[in-house]
Amino acid sequence: MDAEQAQQLEFAHALLEQIGVGIISCDAHGENWVRNAASLAVLGLPDTGLRPEQAAPLLDILTPEGQALPVDAYPLLRSLRGEDEAEAELIVGPAGGPHRVVISCNTQLRASDGRVLGAVSALTDVTAERAAQRQLVLAREEADRATTFYNAVLAAMPDYVFVRDLASGALVYGSHDRPVLGMTTARMTELGPIHAADLVHPEDRARLAAVNVAAGDLDDGQVLQIRYRGRHADGSWRWMSRRITPFRRDVTGAVVEVLGVLRDITDLVSVEEAFRHAALHDSLTGLPNRGLLMDRLEASLSRAVREGRQVAVLYCDLDGFKAINDSSGHAAGDAVLREAARRLTAALRQHDTVGRLGGDEFVVVLEPWHRADRPATDATDLPVALDVARRIQAALHEPIDHDGASHSIGVSIGIAIGPTAGRPPQPDGSAASEASLLLQDADAAMYRAKAEGKGRIAIG
């Protein structure tokens, strides 16, 4: 493992340990398992580092009905295979107990091109919530004891618990000492169903309304779960997890009230987004990595074919970087790469893409016709590519200061224009994509620029 990979792994572990939700993840091959301390606490296991099939004899993982799950039916592995990405309720714990009730939220992680990157499972301990639900029903039946027990149970829960009238949407009960979206139950009641609906993000309102309707068809004990965005009192949008179940029925058996539990999961969603971002971006510079860069290059080529245009690819290799890395150390080298990435980005325009392939190699993808400073009828793309290449060289010409030292670099650039009409088949018979071939052409042109004395621009 090189220094960059170690830094990225250290960042991922540090991020996982900062949240209180249990996280377990693996790569697309079911390897490279990552667990945070919160997940081990939920499972009741020490940090053994065992794979699922090795840890299975030490664990009880049961369905809510108490049936043991085989290893290949674990929700995370099902999600990895693309069979199931929904939330699952499990009973887990060390073999023989004690056991806890856990909601396992499983997501298959995919790149923008559809490749499976792995899977992640978020484990939330809902033992207290399930106990509270059972006790709330008992409290309604035993009215004399309801108030004291009801409030005591809810006070111990971290979530916002509510009861709503299914037909009108009116709030029948809400946790009095638990604010929701920065507002008290009194304020939510004052808003009423119509204005409270305005707190839901416009893109999520239809889904939430559909879940409310579907709640009327639930059997007792069944739960509907949904994630949506709610507007906080401070104006920000927060991600909420909402679970509802039937609470009271009328004499005909129809559901008239539902019990719900709200939890702010903004931190969890941020972790999931961080995983997706890390899979598609370079950890040092934040630029698109090879996978995302190739995806954007392919999209640019598709647009170019439709519009009868061409795409320019600039393959940039820093001159003098190895000497900085060798003489001043990796910290200085990393600082130079980050600043080079910043300057490259600043030299480009809205529709341009710059990515890092690794080391000191960067690639720029240009759609020259998407530029405000260029006539729409201009069919020549090479002058634009050359102009951008010169701007990049000028941007990287100024020394980069780090820790009291000044470092000078240059850049050699190879340019390729495509798609190339009538490109002959590959010598080995492979069906390489136009995007890969265009990148190879730009890479070869860059090496010619290096051979001509560095700091040069060569055209493929």
Side-chain angles (χ1 to χ4, degrees):
M1 181 184 299
D2 61 24
E4 180 180 335
Q5 291 174 320
Q7 181 187 32
Q8 187 170 2
L9 185 60
E10 182 181 9
F11 167 80
H13 279 294
L15 179 67
L16 291 178
E17 296 302 338
Q18 292 302 311
I19 64 171
V21 176
I23 298 292
I24 301 176
S25 68
C26 66
D27 64 17
H29 306 291
E31 304 289 345
N32 298 319
W33 289 82
V34 177
R35 308 168 178 87
N36 66 355
S39 69
L40 297 170
V42 170
L43 296 174
L45 281 180
D47 189 4
T48 59
L50 299 177
R51 292 167 52 85
E53 63 270 17
Q54 297 169 322
L58 306 176
L59 277 174
D60 285 338
I61 299 186
L62 314 173
T63 67
E65 295 75 29
Q67 297 177 338
L69 282 180
V71 172
D72 62 356
Y74 287 178
L76 177 60
L77 297 180
R78 285 173 57 82
S79 179
L80 180 63
R81 297 193 297 267
E83 297 176 5
D84 187 5
E85 292 191 1
E87 293 184 356
E89 182 171 314
L90 303 171
I91 300 173
V92 304
H99 295 151
R100 307 195 69 76
V101 183
V102 170
I103 295 293
S104 172
C105 181
N106 309 279
T107 302
Q108 187 186 65
L109 300 176
R110 287 180 173 271
S112 58
D113 60 359
R115 291 179 295 107
V116 176
L117 302 172
V120 60
S121 178
L123 304 178
T124 304
D125 187 342
V126 296
T127 306
E129 175 187 314
R130 290 293 177 264
Q133 290 176 352
R134 292 192 299 269
Q135 294 297 345
L136 282 174
V137 173
L138 178 63
R140 293 292 287 255
E141 296 172 347
E142 301 178 7
D144 291 340
R145 299 188 304 162
T147 302
T148 301
F149 181 78
Y150 193 80
N151 292 335
V153 170
L154 294 178
M157 293 182 63
D159 303 322
Y160 183 82
V161 179
F162 64 90
V163 176
R164 282 194 180 277
D165 182 89
L166 189 59
S168 67
L171 188 63
V172 177
Y173 172 87
S175 301
H176 294 294
D177 57 348
R178 289 282 187 275
V180 58
L181 292 172
M183 288 173 279
T184 63
T185 294
R187 175 56 180 159
M188 292 295 292
T189 304
E190 179 185 332
L191 286 173
I194 295 178
H195 293 295
D198 292 337
L199 300 178
V200 179
H201 195 284
E203 296 177 3
D204 299 332
R205 288 173 189 167
R207 290 191 305 112
L208 189 58
V211 168
N212 290 336
V213 172
D217 297 325
L218 293 177
D219 295 329
D220 289 343
Q222 284 188 307
V223 177
L224 282 178
Q225 302 148 342
I226 186 174
R227 290 182 177 189
Y228 69 95
R229 287 159 290 182
R231 189 171 69 243
H232 194 275
D234 64 10
S236 65
W237 290 104
R238 306 286 296 178
W239 277 101
M240 307 298 293
S241 172
R242 180 176 185 250
R243 297 189 289 275
I244 57 173
T245 189
F247 184 65
R248 189 171 69 84
R249 298 177 182 271
D250 62 16
V251 293
T252 69
V255 177
V256 293
E257 291 178 357
V258 292
L259 168 70
V261 178
L262 274 177
R263 172 173 292 187
D264 189 318
I265 58 167
T266 304
D267 288 345
L268 174 59
V269 173
S270 296
V271 169
E272 293 175 354
E273 291 174 350
F275 266 102
R276 292 188 179 94
H277 186 275
L280 297 172
H281 292 78
D282 171 51
S283 62
L284 179 65
T285 65
L287 295 178
N289 62 14
R290 178 182 288 271
L292 181 55
L293 180 74
M294 294 302 292
D295 179 68
R296 293 187 179 178
L297 176 54
E298 290 170 359
S300 293
L301 286 167
S302 296
R303 284 191 292 271
V305 170
R306 289 196 302 270
E307 300 186 28
R309 302 286 188 165
Q310 288 188 309
V311 174
V313 175
L314 281 62
Y315 203 114
C316 308
D317 186 272
L318 301 185
D319 298 327
F321 174 75
K322 185 177 184 302
I324 296 172
N325 222 26
D326 292 343
S327 62
S328 301
H330 290 294
D334 288 349
V336 168
L337 289 174
R338 284 192 292 266
E339 176 60 14
R342 188 195 67 78
R343 294 185 186 183
L344 275 167
T345 303
L348 303 178
R349 304 197 182 184
Q350 181 180 359
H351 294 285
D352 304 332
T353 293
V354 57
R356 182 185 176 213
L357 298 187
D360 59 350
E361 296 181 335
F362 299 84
V363 169
V364 174
V365 177
L366 306 177
E367 296 183 17
W369 70 94
H370 280 159
R371 306 179 76 83
D373 59 344
R374 183 172 183 214
T377 57
D378 189 351
T380 306
D381 296 321
L382 184 58
V384 174
L386 287 169
D387 178 64
V388 172
R390 294 185 188 104
R391 286 214 311 271
I392 289 173
Q393 288 187 323
L396 296 178
H397 178 73
E398 293 297 323
I400 296 173
D401 296 326
H402 171 71
D403 199 20
S406 181
H407 304 287
S408 295
I409 57 171
V411 60
S412 297
I413 302 175
I415 300 176
I417 304 290
T420 302
R423 186 190 290 271
Q426 294 297 290
D428 60 0
S430 64
S433 70
E434 175 66 22
S436 296
L437 295 173
L438 194 58
L439 187 64
Q440 291 175 18
D441 291 345
D443 185 20
M446 181 275 293
Y447 274 104
R448 288 201 305 275
K450 285 275 190 186
E452 292 171 3
K454 300 183 179 181
R456 305 293 182 89
I457 301 171
I459 301 169

